[in-house]
Amino acid sequence: MINTLNKRLRVLSTSAALSLMLLAVPQAFAVTPKDTLVIGLAFDDIITLDPGQAFEFSAGEVNGNSYDRLVRLDINDTSKVTPDLAESWSVSDDGLTYTFKIKQGLKFASGNPITAEDVAYSFERSVKIDGPPAFILNQFGLKKDNVAQKAIAKDPSTFVLTVDQSYAPSFVLNCLTATVAAVVDKKVVSQHVTNDDYGNAWLKTNFAGSGPYKIREWRANEVVVLERNDNYWGEKAKLNRVVYRHMKESAAQRLALENNDIDVARNLEPNDIEAVSKKGQTITSAPKGSVFYFSMNQKNPNLKKPEVVEAMKYLVDYDAIGSTLIKGVGQVHQTFLPKGILGSIDDKPYKLDVAKAKELLAKAGLKDGFSVTMDVRNNEPTTGIAQSIQQTFAQAGIKLEIIPGDGKQTLTKYRARTHDMYIGYWGVDYWDPNSNAETFTSNPNNADDGTSKTLAWRNAWDIPELTKETKSGFLERDSAKRASIYQSLQKKLLASGPFALIFQQTEVAGVGKGVKNFKLGPTFDTNYVFSVSKD
Amino acid sequence: MATRRNRRRASSALASVLRFAVTVVTTIFGLLVVTFFIGRVIPIDPVLAIVGDRAPAHLVERTRIELGLNLPLYQQFVIYTKQALSGDLGTSVLTSNPVLEDIKRVFPATMELATIGTLIGSVLGIPLGVLAAVRRGSIADQVVRVIGLIGYSVPIFWLGLLSLVLFYAQLRWVAFPGRVDIVYEYSFTPQTGFYLLDAAMQGQWDVMWDLFRHIALPGALLGYFSLAYISRMTRSFMLNELSQEYVVAARAKGLSETRIIWFHALRNAGVPLVTVIALSYANLLEGSVLTETIFSWPGLGLYITNSLQNADMNAVLGGTLVIGAVFVGINIFSDLLYRTLDPRTRSR
């Protein structure tokens, strides 16, 4: 029996070895096709691709590459805008009327001509769909019942926008660079309207634009495919196709990049960034319009004490966080306006100072410290930073209990103002200082049912004076004076606001060999892929 | 006499049909209740899934009312049940397709994977089980039992990640997670949804090879887990059969050992094995959630995981109901098959 068993085992092991050898034959390994850029990106935030409704980062990137607007952000100098579909524009002396001249002879991807009529229609539908980004246009007094009169086509090449107050022109133009002002093909969209929805349901997964790429397909959490628009009026995209593959894990993206299964890895964490750069692939990065902070709910009696608020800002080890946890993906930044935006300052008065914090806590009558909770989203670097803060807080006797949760979970609580402390990102909604100023330093009604639920409101920070000052910022037509208003707001929040700003996000990408001209832009909708080529 | 027996048979058949019906209805209803309450208990706001994290507050409120989430819980449950019973699984927030349509698209991927897994599990597991039984107590038996034990006790995601690191990252034997390479994504048009079958029918051998390289690892992994179960059950059934009198009689008659084992004993052990294989298949269909997540396999498991993460409750409900229904269906099927193959069980 032993003999037969041995014989069988021999046969078994030989055949196993044989099949292993067969498998080990070197294969022509799949490398991404020459005419296609394959990007690994976590894009589970996409809900819709309708530019009138989409407000998520990944959707912004897809739309930024596929839809045109009147003006775009100048990615070389982000305090300026450059012409896109508009050739030129002028503002009336009273500051209420903006007139845009549209470039001649332009076509949508469908082949239809682009006219001022399409622009007016796009504004109308964005306002009437009333999606998350509609407020950007509502700010100028465009409402459902008046948008048809306030955003009109005077003739096929002239679009006229009438605003309700004499705003800073830079504010209006900056807002028009957002995707909510993207221009859609009226003829195509009109064919797909159901229940007066302005084609909203259809455009969620379809395309009616004029940008360098057309959206061919989006399968939620799987793939987004862009295809070159041969009718594009500007310089044509070099590659036929761009494929975004949904990949959540940094490690998986790194593996795929190293094996040439993707050309670009977009969600690398610090340790993977290091590994990738050692392998000879390049790392490209750009500072983004997102800041990372923690906040202190003013409903909590301990957190309401100004000395406690100040002490907490001294209980963060900014240097350690900067050199480890956010290395490569962020830079220490303590003011609420990200670098690159009009009026932004880069004051950094705080560093870890336990003695000073203890002094402040003693002044507040909390010599022995206190206990407090913090809602923390389960991802990096959020968890790591929360843990770091937990340790430094402990040095001054503050017991921080971390409550981990899924993103939507922590956010639900934060929106309901039932947290003690919250830690996370805030990204600008549109590239203008008013965007962050409005949420951090204005709170028109601090009641629980207040309608303007800004971050200041979420943390119950009652600030009538600052609210007024914030409003003066977008009405100031002199850019220099405007900048000084925002500088003052940043300093005030830095000194006494219940927000401790920690860093500004740097977006990073690992780029495979042979990929040329892949650059990240300052905003999420300026991560342009149409200039990329491959060897 | 004969009619009485027929009548008894008919009434027992009716009883079993009724029993099935009750099982199906209670199982589905149970699933409905459980998914509904899970959906309401998880601290994720489904409204955010629709309007996004960055939506202004008034929009969040408006959507909450539109979804009926402001109604009392029992009313929401009635609406939910009515909708589900009428066969309308609603629209997925994430994909904006009807949930049923989504499931039709993703389910074949899961079935393909589970089928491969079960095939591997049966083809290897049955002979191994037989070997272990025949050589009871030998080294071979020990080896088979250890293989089974590992398959039973090691978490699938851990083994999945390890195998990915080894076979994909290091050795490069298998393809990048997913179902088909990006190169073929737009040159290959599946008809039935079973890609391997489609590629074979269209004679696209390069696609076939690519598909094989994608399914190899997750298929082998599921196959291993199925093998662990099937080999263990085969061993115990075979041991039972080998101690029966007919085996002793056959040996006395001078039949060859091979013939006794493979033709007589295994044939009898085969009847309960059918149920084991069917259950293993159902388990793989249901348990593919983790495997699919690790290997980015675009099947029902991944669909449900994604939906849950995004609080897309219609999709979660739809997916769970389908899995439940399939599970019940396979159980009924294996039960019927069992009755057909083994006449002794019919009159019970």
Side-chain angles (χ1 to χ4, degrees):
Chain A
M1 198 173 99
I2 299 280
N3 273 340
T4 51
L5 191 72
N6 277 342
K7 207 167 124 196
R8 272 186 204 169
L9 270 179
R10 267 206 307 276
V11 175
L12 206 76
S13 54
T14 323
S15 53
L18 264 178
S19 50
L20 283 184
M21 273 161 64
L22 258 177
L23 276 170
V25 171
Q27 289 145 15
F29 226 80
V31 173
T32 58
K34 281 267 175 261
D35 63 344
T36 305
L37 183 73
V38 184
I39 300 176
L41 174 73
F43 57 78
D44 47 356
D45 59 333
I46 303 181
I47 297 169
T48 172
L49 290 177
D50 183 337
Q53 191 185 23
F55 203 38
E56 286 65 47
F57 296 135
S58 309
E61 175 164 338
V62 172
N63 286 340
N65 282 291
S66 56
Y67 283 93
D68 291 318
R69 357 152 177 209
L70 290 169
V71 287
R72 276 191 198 243
L73 197 66
D74 183 343
I75 55 172
N76 299 313
D77 177 0
T78 49
S79 59
K80 288 194 192 124
V81 296
T82 55
D84 197 17
L85 292 180
E87 190 173 59
S88 62
W89 53 89
S90 60
V91 187
S92 65
D93 291 339
D94 60 1
L96 296 180
T97 312
Y98 289 71
T99 308
F100 293 88
K101 278 278 168 204
I102 315 276
K103 289 174 186 163
Q104 291 287 313
L106 307 189
K107 276 188 207 160
F108 283 105
S110 65
N112 295 329
I114 301 175
T115 66
E117 184 75 21
D118 295 296
V119 182
Y121 178 74
S122 303
F123 275 68
E124 182 183 333
R125 73 183 292 282
S126 284
V127 169
K128 291 201 175 159
I129 290 170
D130 195 17
F135 78 93
I136 297 176
L137 298 177
N138 298 154
Q139 296 179 118
F140 320 130
L142 298 185
K143 306 280 176 239
K144 285 183 185 180
D145 54 1
N146 67 14
V147 61
Q149 290 84 48
K150 296 212 163 197
I152 54 165
K154 210 168 125 196
D155 61 58
S157 63
T158 314
F159 170 73
V160 179
L161 176 70
T162 312
V163 296
D164 63 344
Q165 285 185 70
S166 173
Y167 296 103
S170 57
F171 171 55
V172 175
L173 290 169
N174 283 336
C175 287
L176 295 187
T177 67
T179 37
V180 70
V183 178
V184 302
D185 188 333
K186 180 180 180 184
K187 227 177 190 172
V188 171
V189 174
S190 305
Q191 285 162 3
H192 296 95
V193 173
T194 44
N195 306 326
D196 292 332
D197 74 342
Y198 285 86
N200 180 226
W202 181 80
L203 213 52
K204 178 174 180 177
T205 53
N206 288 285
F207 176 65
S210 58
Y213 278 107
K214 300 185 275 190
I215 302 170
R216 169 167 171 160
E217 190 176 16
W218 160 49
R219 292 202 298 272
N221 293 6
E222 255 185 71
V223 71
V224 175
V225 183
L226 303 182
E227 233 167 26
R228 179 167 55 211
N229 170 15
D230 288 320
N231 278 333
Y232 183 55
W233 51 273
E235 194 186 332
K236 307 264 190 295
K238 303 216 169 39
L239 298 173
N240 285 334
R241 203 173 275 153
V242 176
V243 177
Y244 290 89
R245 293 196 61 156
H246 174 61
M247 297 171 78
K248 260 194 117 129
E249 304 297 329
S250 165
Q253 291 193 9
R254 182 187 120 197
L255 280 182
L257 182 70
E258 286 172 359
N259 282 351
N260 292 323
D261 281 314
I262 57 175
D263 296 308
V264 184
R266 294 282 299 278
N267 305 88
L268 296 176
E269 287 167 9
N271 55 337
D272 288 316
I273 294 174
E274 230 171 284
V276 165
S277 49
K278 275 183 194 149
K279 287 258 163 114
Q281 278 129 339
T282 43
I283 296 286
T284 175
S285 65
K288 281 294 203 253
S290 300
V291 288
F292 190 94
Y293 71 98
F294 70 79
S295 67
M296 299 153 246
N297 191 345
Q298 299 298 290
K299 286 189 162 188
N300 179 312
N302 283 334
L303 300 178
K304 200 174 164 39
K305 299 178 177 165
E307 296 89 355
V308 172
V309 167
E310 198 184 347
M312 285 192 160
K313 294 179 185 175
Y314 280 112
L315 285 174
V316 180
D317 195 345
Y318 302 91
D319 294 337
I321 291 172
S323 62
T324 53
L325 296 170
I326 56 159
K327 193 181 169 200
V329 296
Q331 278 195 322
V332 172
H333 187 80
Q334 297 182 349
T335 50
F336 71 77
L337 282 185
K339 266 184 254 177
I341 248 177
L342 180 79
S344 162
I345 53 171
D346 197 13
D347 290 7
K348 293 192 188 91
Y350 297 105
K351 58 180 181 17
L352 181 64
D353 190 340
V354 180
K356 182 147 196 181
K358 277 185 171 165
E359 213 176 278
L360 285 161
L361 287 175
K363 232 193 253 175
L366 292 163
K367 189 163 60 67
D368 302 322
F370 60 97
S371 294
V372 70
T373 65
M374 180 186 267
D375 289 284
V376 180
R377 191 177 188 153
N378 274 330
N379 63 13
E380 286 308 335
T382 313
T383 313
I385 293 177
Q387 283 163 351
S388 158
I389 291 172
Q390 188 179 40
Q391 282 173 13
T392 44
F393 272 21
Q395 292 174 26
I398 301 177
K399 249 206 209 135
L400 179 70
E401 186 198 333
I402 289 177
I403 306 177
D406 168 74
K408 291 205 165 57
Q409 208 173 323
T410 51
L411 203 62
T412 302
K413 201 170 158 192
Y414 190 31
R415 280 172 177 271
R417 307 214 273 190
T418 52
H419 64 293
D420 278 346
M421 297 179 70
Y422 174 89
I423 186 164
Y425 284 101
W426 184 265
V428 291
D429 291 331
Y430 48 91
W431 196 255
D432 188 86
N434 182 59
S435 177
N436 271 15
E438 195 177 7
T439 199
F440 278 103
T441 56
S442 99
N443 182 7
N445 176 2
N446 194 36
D448 277 342
D449 59 352
T451 49
S452 183
K453 300 185 172 178
T454 62
L455 288 184
W457 176 86
R458 284 189 201 171
N459 291 288
W461 191 31
D462 202 5
I463 36 167
E465 284 304 314
L466 278 184
T467 306
K468 225 183 275 167
E469 192 176 341
T470 305
K471 200 177 169 195
S472 71
F474 62 70
L475 291 172
E476 177 53 60
R477 299 188 62 190
D478 180 333
S479 274
K481 279 189 195 155
R482 201 174 170 224
S484 72
I485 293 172
Y486 292 110
Q487 283 160 5
S488 137
L489 287 170
Q490 285 170 89
K491 287 191 172 135
K492 284 176 184 159
L493 182 130
L494 191 60
S496 61
F499 298 95
L501 277 296
I502 302 172
F503 70 89
Q504 175 175 356
Q505 192 194 356
T506 306
E507 196 180 8
V508 186
V511 183
K513 287 171 200 145
V515 177
K516 285 184 167 166
N517 282 332
F518 182 87
K519 284 193 201 92
L520 294 163
T523 63
F524 290 90
D525 52 4
T526 50
N527 288 332
Y528 295 142
V529 292
F530 47 78
S531 45
V532 178
S533 62
K534 278 171 89 175
D535 277 344
Chain B
M1 190 70 185
T3 42
R4 200 185 298 163
R5 196 185 298 145
N6 281 344
R7 214 178 297 148
R8 206 189 305 144
R9 210 176 271 166
S11 75
S12 95
L14 188 71
S16 54
V17 167
L18 271 178
R19 211 167 42 235
F20 282 145
V22 171
T23 316
V24 174
V25 170
T26 46
T27 309
I28 301 289
F29 187 74
L31 274 175
L32 219 88
V33 175
V34 170
T35 42
F36 175 80
F37 283 100
I38 285 179
R40 294 304 182 273
V41 164
I42 51 168
I44 300 178
D45 192 342
V47 175
L48 293 184
I50 294 173
V51 298
D53 289 1
R54 302 167 76 210
H58 72 271
L59 208 65
V60 174
E61 256 347 279
R62 198 179 72 197
T63 314
R64 186 180 311 282
I65 292 166
E66 277 169 12
L67 288 180
L69 290 171
N70 53 334
L71 299 172
L73 212 57
Y74 75 91
Q75 268 185 36
Q76 291 184 40
F77 182 67
V78 171
I79 295 171
Y80 177 85
T81 314
K82 263 190 198 157
Q83 192 197 0
L85 289 184
S86 67
D88 174 14
L89 297 180
T91 306
S92 157
V93 173
L94 209 58
T95 65
S96 76
N97 295 325
V99 170
L100 214 54
E101 210 173 272
D102 276 344
I103 290 175
K104 270 188 211 153
R105 184 172 64 85
V106 298
F107 196 51
T110 298
M111 271 177 83
E112 191 170 75
L113 191 58
T115 308
I116 293 281
T118 309
L119 272 178
I120 294 176
S122 317
V123 169
L124 297 178
I126 294 174
L128 282 180
V130 171
L131 180 74
V134 173
R135 305 262 183 267
R136 185 180 185 180
S138 71
I139 300 174
D141 185 20
Q142 302 293 347
V143 169
V144 171
R145 282 164 69 181
V146 168
I147 291 176
L149 194 72
I150 295 175
Y152 249 75
S153 44
V154 175
I156 197 160
F157 67 90
W158 188 73
L159 213 54
L161 289 176
L162 270 190
S163 61
L164 256 183
V165 169
L166 181 65
F167 295 108
Y168 166 69
Q170 296 297 324
L171 298 170
R172 296 187 167 203
W173 287 356
V174 297
F176 180 64
R179 201 174 174 198
V180 65
D181 208 280
I182 211 93
V183 183
Y184 300 112
E185 186 98 38
Y186 293 92
S187 63
F188 167 61
T189 8
Q191 306 285 325
T192 62
F194 297 95
Y195 283 13
L196 284 169
L197 196 69
D198 287 329
M201 284 193 320
Q202 294 169 20
Q204 298 208 25
W205 305 115
D206 51 338
V207 180
M208 187 84 179
W209 174 238
D210 180 68
L211 290 171
F212 173 71
R213 289 199 326 135
H214 279 90
I215 205 170
L217 208 50
L221 205 65
L222 287 185
Y224 179 44
F225 280 83
S226 157
L227 175 152
Y229 178 52
I230 291 175
S231 68
R232 200 175 75 154
M233 298 311 278
T234 309
R235 180 179 180 275
S236 102
F237 292 148
M238 281 300 283
L239 282 179
N240 185 36
E241 292 301 326
L242 288 177
S243 65
Q244 300 287 323
E245 277 174 21
Y246 74 87
V247 173
V248 180
R251 281 199 183 119
K253 271 201 291 181
L255 280 184
S256 78
E257 196 66 8
T258 323
R259 208 178 155 79
I260 293 172
I261 294 167
W262 297 102
F263 287 86
H264 294 270
L266 184 60
R267 200 164 152 193
N268 284 329
V271 178
L273 260 184
V274 167
T275 314
V276 167
I277 293 174
L279 280 180
S280 161
Y281 188 63
N283 276 330
L284 290 192
L285 280 179
E286 169 202 40
S288 57
V289 172
L290 280 175
T291 321
E292 290 186 1
T293 311
I294 294 165
F295 292 96
S296 307
W297 193 261
L300 190 58
L302 191 59
Y303 180 71
I304 294 178
T305 317
N306 279 334
S307 311
L308 202 57
Q309 280 176 354
N310 287 282
D312 185 354
M313 293 323 290
N314 281 343
V316 175
L317 161 76
T320 319
L321 279 184
V322 167
I323 284 191
V326 168
F327 204 77
V328 172
I330 288 180
N331 261 310
I332 292 174
F333 174 76
S334 67
D335 216 9
L336 287 176
L337 203 64
Y338 196 90
R339 279 153 195 266
T340 320
L341 293 178
D342 188 351
R344 283 172 304 177
T345 55
R346 266 179 228 160
S347 54
R348 270 201 317 226

